[in-house]
């Protein structure tokens, strides 16, 4: 992989260097937050915000940008900025430029895609400092089966001197309304494809992107699923032979703060900034789409990606519900001709940090959005008790500690109706969870380096302005006995295992860095290449999981069909206590329509010692996710199943109707009897 990465990184770096030759960043200022300017004369006072209301449109203007929305629909039809009359794709229909949408279904019914269009327009705030407008769609029984039974209030906010626009939505289900299931809701922007060619999601995932026409018939070859394409005749010949797949640019919520696009002529950036994760489903590790070929940029609030139907909330008849999604910030920036347009990405990151520091916003007009003084804080210290590691309590440094709606252990992973608030503990285990909305929560945590989930079922009631002192909290990770051997690192991911080189004909050059190598397309196929006839065998004390444990337990392809695979863990034991129980801890990072059967010293045993049954709908193997929904299984291994000397544990994954059925392991540990 290092040789391949070196060759491809050299090619990509040369391409970037050629593009950047002669360009540099300017060192101007913009309100103390940026090295780039948004106004022609920075010495002039900023213009106030003005609202212009017409029959079919509404326009917000603060002298930096002008945003036009349909009335009363609330679809963003145009954004004028820095000499570009409209940064959105003018060749699209007005309803397909900047819009809120959702995907829903009646219980047991077929899915319905809906671009949310308001029915009533209102002015909430109109001053020279701020304009906030509302586009409300109300529901009544005559709309049953046609629209999701929700009142949806889309809000847009423009501030004086701000180079962007904020948006948030208030979703409400009343008690007497019928039930439904919500698969996805988000904001989508379709940018001008003649302008925006460079995309940035992270420092190691930014590049010149294919044109949308490159994904049309005759210019590409569709691969194993519709979203993945091999570019065979791209408009930009430098992209010839590369793979494009929107899932390669997905991101965990905790890292999904800013992403977007850059236009080179004129040098303009369009960025989607999400300053808080409190309203996103699934907690800090949930993965969502970002930007992709279109050029498209998304603000995803809820989706079932990397989790499956377990992430789809079902609302019953008689279940009242209200949730505020957002606000998110749509930020535009620019630099002078002759400067390096890639500086716009650095500026967007600076702006993102400023927005994060400003959360919760003070300007939001809705009573459903609590201001800072109306929120609460919970703080304490998390410690770990594991007597097989240390007789003293261990500081839970780096632990993720959160408040989420009451549930079971680990339920925060698939929670999608309420709000979540998370903090990372310092080296001593101290944490402070700030800006929590008033409500009832449980305390959850997980600690890198330790298996399992901490869950305290006691209700934590957050009230306006409260400071909840939680004191010292002790987490006892699952363990029955001393470690006899272990494979991997308990971090809820499979990234430490062997990630193979991609097929050289299926490479995305921007993903050749080690930290992103798991995002390359088609890596599941490499198992068949590396193990064409016999399956993986791992020998404890000899093998190295970094090179000998394939990252995904997938089927083997034989001709036109797939077959289940059985991995072996071989190990030596002395002084067996045949009357005692040993424990096999199996932490799974992801599963997709898979099954794990465990046998000990008898691969042909009709009944396995343990089976998970059918588990998982993450689809993380196909979507380059490296993890999905975490699961932990503690398997009793009777001592009389083991023998003095050499032993073998057989891990069988028999489900094989397609290439993506499989398991990603996080960590495996065999424990001896307690002493």
């Amino acid at each position: 992989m290092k040789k391949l990465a070196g060759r491809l990184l050299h090619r990509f770096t040369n391409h970037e260097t050629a593009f950047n030759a002669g360009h540099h960043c300017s060192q101007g200022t913009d309100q103390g937050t940026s090295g780039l300017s948004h106004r022609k004369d920075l010495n002039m006072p900023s213009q106030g915000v003005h609202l212009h209301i017409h029959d079919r449109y509404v326009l917000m203007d603060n002298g930096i940008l002008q945003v036009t929305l349909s009335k009363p629909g609330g679809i963003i039809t145009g954004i004028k900025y820095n000499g570009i009359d409209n940064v959105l794709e003018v060749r699209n229909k007005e309803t397909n430029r900047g819009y809120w949408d959702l995907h829903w279904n009646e219980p047991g019914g077929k899915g319905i895609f809906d671009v949310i269009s308001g029915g009533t327009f209102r002015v909430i705030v109109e001053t020279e400092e701020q304009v906030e407008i509302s586009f409300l769609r109300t529901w009544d029984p005559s709309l049953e089966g046609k629209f999701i039974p929700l009142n949806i209030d889309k809000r847009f906010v423009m501030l004086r001197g701000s180079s962007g626009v904020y948006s948030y939505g208030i979703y409400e289900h009343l008690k007497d309304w019928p039930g439904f299931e919500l698969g996805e809701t988000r904001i989508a922007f379709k940018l001008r494809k003649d302008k925006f060619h460079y995309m940035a999601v992270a420092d190691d995932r930014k590049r010149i992107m294919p044109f949308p026409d490159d994904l049309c018939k005759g210019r590409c070859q569709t691969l194993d699923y519709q979203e993945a394409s091999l570019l065979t005749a791209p408009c930009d010949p430098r992209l010839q032979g590369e793979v494009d797949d929107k899932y390669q640019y997905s991101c965990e919520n905790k890292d999904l703060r800013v992403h977007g696009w850059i236009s080179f002529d004129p040098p303009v950036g369009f960025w989607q900034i999400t300053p808080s994760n409190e309203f996103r489903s699934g907690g800090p590790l949930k993965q969502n789409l970002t930007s992709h070929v279109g050029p498209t940029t998304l603000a995803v609030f809820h989706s079932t990606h990397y989790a499956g139907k377990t992430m789809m909330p079902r609302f019953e008849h008689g279940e009242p519900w209200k949730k505020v999604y957002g606000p998110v910030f749509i930020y535009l920036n620019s630099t002078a001709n002759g400067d390096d347009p890639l500086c716009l990405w650095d500026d967007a990151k600076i702006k993102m940090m400023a927005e994060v520091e400003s959360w919760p916003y003070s300007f939001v007009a809705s009573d459903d959005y609590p201001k800072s003084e109306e929120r609460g804080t919970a703080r304490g210290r998390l410690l770990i008790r594991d007597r097989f590691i240390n007789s003293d309590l261990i500081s839970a440094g780096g632990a993720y500690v959160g408040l989420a709606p009451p549930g079971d252990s680990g339920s925060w992973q698939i929670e999608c109706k309420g709000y979540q608030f998370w903090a990372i503990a310092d080296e001593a285990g101290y944490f402070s969870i700030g800006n929590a909305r008033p409500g009832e929560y449980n305390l959850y945590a997980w600690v890198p380096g330790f298996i399992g989930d901490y869950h305290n079922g006691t209700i934590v009631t957050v009230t306006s302005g409260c400071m909840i002192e939680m004191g010292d909290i002790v987490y006892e990770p699952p363990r029955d006995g001393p470690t006899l051997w272990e494979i991997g690192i308990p971090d809820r991911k499979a990234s430490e295992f062997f990630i193979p080189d991609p097929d050289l004909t299926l490479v995305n050059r921007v993903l050749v860095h080690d930290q992103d190598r798991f995002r390359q397309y088609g890596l599941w196929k490499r198992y068949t290449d590396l193990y064409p006839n016999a399956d993986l065998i791992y020998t404890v004390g000899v093998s190295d999981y970094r090179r000998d444990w394939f990252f995904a337990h997938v089927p083997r392809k034989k001709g036109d069909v797939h077959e289940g695979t059985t991995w072996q863990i071989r190990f030596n034991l002395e002084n067996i206590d045949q009357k005692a129980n040993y424990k096999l801890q199996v932490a799974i990072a992801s599963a997709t329509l898979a099954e794990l059967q465990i046998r000990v010293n008898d691969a042909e045993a009709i009944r396995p010692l343990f089976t998970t049954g059918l588990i998982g709908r993450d689809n993380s193997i196909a979507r380059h996710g490296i993890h999905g929904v975490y699961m932990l299984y503690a398997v009793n291994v009777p001592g009389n199943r083991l023998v003095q000397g050499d032993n073998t544990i057989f891990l069988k994954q028999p489900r094989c109707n397609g290439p993506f059925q499989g398991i990603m392991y996080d960590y495996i540990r065999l424990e001896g009897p307690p002493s």
Side-chain angles (χ1 to χ4, degrees):
M1 184 69 197
K2 288 184 177 179
K3 290 183 179 179
L4 172 67
R7 293 199 303 271
L8 292 178
L9 184 58
H10 176 72
R11 289 167 54 196
F12 181 71
T13 303
N14 284 347
H15 169 61
E16 292 289 282
T17 302
F19 171 76
N20 289 324
H23 293 275
H24 62 279
C25 288
S26 65
Q27 300 299 318
T29 59
D30 173 41
Q31 304 173 59
T33 63
S34 159
L36 307 172
S37 67
H38 306 294
R39 298 190 301 272
K40 291 183 178 180
D41 187 349
L42 296 178
N43 296 317
M44 294 292 291
S46 61
Q47 175 183 311
V49 189
H50 297 287
L51 178 65
H52 305 277
I53 302 174
H54 305 285
D55 289 342
R56 296 178 54 240
Y57 297 97
V58 177
L59 186 143
M60 295 187 291
D61 181 358
N62 67 358
I64 300 173
L65 74 163
Q66 297 82 44
V67 178
T68 302
L69 301 102
S70 64
K71 172 176 167 281
I75 307 295
I76 299 179
T77 62
I79 300 177
K80 183 177 181 180
Y81 175 75
N82 197 50
I84 303 178
D85 285 340
N86 197 348
V87 301
L88 304 181
E89 181 51 76
V90 294
R91 285 170 286 192
N92 285 5
K93 293 181 178 179
E94 290 190 343
T95 54
N96 188 29
R97 295 179 185 175
Y99 54 87
W100 286 69
D101 68 29
L102 55 82
H103 194 273
W104 73 286
N105 58 269
E106 296 179 301
K110 294 183 178 180
I112 301 171
F113 175 75
D114 179 14
V115 173
I116 304 166
S117 183
T120 304
F121 166 72
R122 290 184 300 152
V123 178
I124 306 298
V125 176
E126 185 178 7
T127 69
E128 288 205 344
E129 299 301 316
Q130 171 181 344
V131 164
E132 178 167 338
I133 53 179
S134 161
F135 301 87
L136 175 66
R137 186 174 80 180
T138 56
W139 191 88
D140 64 63
S142 68
L143 301 173
E144 186 167 358
K146 299 177 182 178
F147 292 104
I148 189 170
L150 289 173
N151 286 337
I152 299 177
D153 188 357
K154 300 183 298 179
R155 300 283 185 96
F156 298 89
V157 183
M158 180 176 283
L159 305 179
R160 179 199 287 266
S162 175
S163 185
V165 62
Y166 298 85
S167 187
Y168 68 102
I170 306 167
Y171 289 29
E172 184 176 23
H173 181 249
L174 299 184
K175 184 176 181 179
D176 296 330
W177 289 355
F180 67 94
E181 294 175 334
L182 179 63
E184 182 175 74
T185 189
R186 63 187 189 175
I187 307 176
F189 289 94
K190 307 293 181 65
L191 307 182
R192 287 181 61 157
K193 64 182 181 180
D194 64 333
K195 295 288 186 184
F196 293 91
H197 301 151
Y198 192 97
M199 187 185 81
V201 173
D203 284 337
D204 57 0
R205 284 191 289 167
K206 57 184 192 292
R207 65 169 304 169
I208 292 176
M209 292 291 287
F211 288 84
D213 294 349
D214 293 340
L215 305 186
C216 297
K217 186 177 180 180
R219 291 191 175 274
C220 72
Q221 173 190 338
T222 301
L223 298 174
D224 284 4
Y225 46 88
Q226 183 179 359
E227 294 89 349
S229 300
L230 176 65
L231 306 180
T232 56
C235 298
D236 185 341
R238 293 171 295 184
L239 302 179
Q240 175 75 29
E242 288 206 45
V243 167
D244 178 77
D245 180 351
K246 67 180 182 180
Y247 294 110
Q248 292 177 323
Y249 303 104
S250 61
C251 191
E252 293 177 348
N253 282 343
K254 66 182 178 64
D255 301 318
L256 184 46
R257 297 292 200 188
V258 57
H259 60 92
W261 292 81
I262 294 173
S263 162
F264 298 142
D265 184 19
V268 165
F270 184 98
W271 310 102
Q272 195 278 302
I273 294 177
T274 303
S276 171
N277 289 318
E278 66 181 48
F279 44 80
R280 282 174 167 160
S281 298
L285 299 186
K286 171 68 170 67
Q287 296 169 92
N288 279 310
L289 294 176
T290 58
S291 291
H292 57 79
V293 168
T296 297
T297 190
L298 304 172
V300 179
F301 304 120
H302 166 74
S303 81
T304 59
H305 288 138
Y306 302 96
K309 290 184 178 180
T310 57
M311 182 60 80
M312 182 179 291
R314 182 185 180 109
F315 296 88
E316 305 293 343
H317 175 84
E319 179 182 357
W321 175 72
K322 180 183 281 190
K323 186 170 183 177
V324 177
Y325 291 110
V328 297
F329 184 46
I330 309 307
Y331 176 58
L332 288 90
N333 57 2
S334 60
T335 188
N337 286 321
D339 291 339
D340 183 358
L342 299 190
C343 292
L344 296 168
W345 165 243
D346 296 323
D347 173 72
K349 291 187 294 179
I350 294 171
K351 184 60 177 174
M352 174 270 292
M353 290 186 288
E355 294 298 313
V356 170
E357 288 297 316
S358 299
W359 188 272
Y361 294 133
S362 60
F363 57 79
V364 177
S366 172
D367 292 336
D368 293 309
Y369 177 85
K371 308 303 186 293
S372 179
E373 63 275 12
E374 300 171 310
R375 296 174 177 237
T377 298
R379 64 187 184 187
R381 179 171 63 161
L382 183 66
L383 302 168
I384 299 168
R385 178 180 289 122
D386 188 333
R387 62 189 177 91
F388 291 99
I389 294 179
N390 194 317
S391 58
D392 297 327
L393 292 174
I394 305 168
S395 297
Y400 286 75
V401 189
L403 295 174
D408 299 323
S409 177
S411 62
W412 57 269
Q413 296 184 97
I414 56 173
E415 192 283 319
C416 42
K417 291 184 178 181
Y419 303 90
Q420 298 192 28
F421 306 88
W422 289 83
I424 299 179
D426 66 16
E427 292 182 358
Y430 288 98
F431 63 87
S432 179
I433 306 169
N435 292 316
R437 297 173 60 109
E440 294 187 342
Y441 304 91
N442 282 169
L443 187 71
Y444 301 85
W446 68 274
V447 188
F450 295 88
I451 61 174
D453 280 276
Y454 173 80
H455 172 232
N456 189 323
T458 302
I459 296 296
V460 178
T461 302
V462 175
T463 57
S464 178
C466 73
M467 173 63 74
I468 302 173
E469 300 287 354
M470 309 201 73
D472 288 350
I473 299 164
V474 179
Y475 171 45
E476 297 189 37
R479 180 186 284 277
D480 279 16
T483 299
L484 300 180
W485 51 258
E486 59 187 350
I487 300 172
I489 301 171
D491 60 358
R492 298 180 174 242
K493 300 180 182 180
S495 52
E496 71 268 28
F497 297 125
F498 177 66
I499 309 293
D501 292 349
D503 184 321
L504 288 175
T505 65
L506 300 172
V507 172
N508 183 324
R509 288 185 298 180
V510 80
L511 304 175
V512 298
H513 305 278
D514 282 349
Q515 64 268 28
D516 285 319
R517 63 190 184 194
F518 67 85
R519 300 184 189 277
Q520 293 285 358
Y521 173 83
L523 297 183
W524 58 87
K525 298 180 180 182
R526 298 307 316 281
Y527 183 80
T528 299
D529 297 336
L530 296 170
Y531 300 93
N533 300 306
D535 283 320
L536 182 151
I537 298 174
Y538 187 93
T539 302
V540 173
V542 176
S543 302
D544 182 342
Y545 63 78
R546 291 168 293 186
R547 65 170 185 265
D548 300 318
W549 189 271
F550 198 77
F551 79 103
H553 192 165
V554 291
R556 177 189 294 103
K557 189 172 184 181
K558 282 288 188 180
D560 295 329
V561 300
H562 293 83
E563 61 183 19
T565 51
T566 302
W567 292 8
Q568 298 181 38
I569 304 173
R570 296 180 178 177
F571 57 99
N572 185 279
L573 286 182
E574 303 295 337
N575 304 318
I576 301 296
D577 184 350
Q578 295 196 340
K579 295 182 180 180
N581 279 327
Y582 293 68
K583 186 77 72 175
L584 187 68
Q585 303 280 7
V586 182
I588 291 176
S590 177
T592 302
L593 297 174
E595 178 182 1
L596 175 60
Q597 298 177 358
I598 298 177
R599 295 173 171 84
V600 178
N601 288 329
D602 183 1
E604 305 302 323
I606 296 176
R607 296 185 62 182
L609 174 67
F610 171 84
T611 180
T612 60
L614 182 65
I615 56 171
R617 292 180 176 270
D618 299 354
N619 210 16
S620 297
I621 294 171
R623 290 175 174 169
H624 328 292
I626 211 63
H627 73 88
V629 177
Y630 177 84
M631 292 175 280
L632 177 65
Y633 296 95
V635 181
N636 282 321
V637 181
N640 59 17
R641 295 287 187 104
L642 301 169
V643 299
Q644 195 86 3
D646 293 333
N647 293 266
T648 303
I649 289 176
F650 299 92
L651 306 176
K652 183 175 183 179
Q653 200 297 102
R655 309 277 179 159
C656 54
N657 294 324
F660 308 126
Q661 289 181 271
I663 291 169
M664 293 185 193
Y665 299 98
D666 167 44
Y667 174 77
I668 301 176
R669 180 173 76 211
L670 182 65
E671 299 169 359
S675 58

